[in-house]
Amino acid sequence: MKDQFLKALRNRRAKVAASIEAEQARPAPDHLKVGMMKKMRLRLRDQIEFIERMNRNGQPSVVPVVRRRSFRPVLQGQS
C-alpha cells in the first residue's frame, strides 16, 4: 500500500510539473496560477521525501496523511 501511495504522489507531481510547463508555454501565462502550481509541486516533493526518509530502513511505517476540510460558512438560522 505504501508503494502505491508513493507512486500516486509521484504521478501527481509529474502532472503538476507538466501543467506548469504548459502554462509557461502560453503566450501570456498566468503567473499567479504558475506560482500556486509550483508551491503544490514543492509540497508534493516534501511529502515524497518525508515518506522515503521514514522508510529508509526498509521497515514498514505508518504514513501520516493530512486532509484539509473545505471551508463552508455556516449561514444564519442553520446549525
Side-chain angles (χ1 to χ4, degrees):
M1 182 171 158
K2 170 182 51 179
D3 294 332
Q4 291 175 352
F5 186 65
L6 274 173
K7 185 177 179 182
L9 284 176
R10 288 186 182 117
N11 286 338
R12 187 169 176 202
R13 185 169 186 258
K15 287 180 183 179
V16 171
S19 297
I20 291 170
E21 290 177 15
E23 184 67 28
Q24 288 178 335
R26 292 181 47 201
D30 183 356
H31 297 291
L32 198 59
K33 190 175 184 180
V34 171
M36 287 183 354
M37 288 189 291
K38 284 184 176 185
K39 285 181 184 179
M40 183 183 296
R41 184 180 63 184
L42 289 174
R43 277 189 244 125
L44 289 168
R45 184 199 66 191
D46 292 342
Q47 287 179 352
I48 292 167
E49 287 178 354
F50 175 77
I51 293 169
E52 288 174 343
R53 229 179 309 130
M54 294 294 288
N55 298 322
R56 199 169 277 165
N57 297 333
Q59 299 172 352
S61 64
V62 177
V63 177
V65 177
V66 178
R67 296 183 183 186
R68 287 186 173 173
R69 291 186 176 192
S70 62
F71 174 74
R72 288 188 227 160
V74 177
L75 301 176
Q76 280 184 325
Q78 293 182 353
S79 50

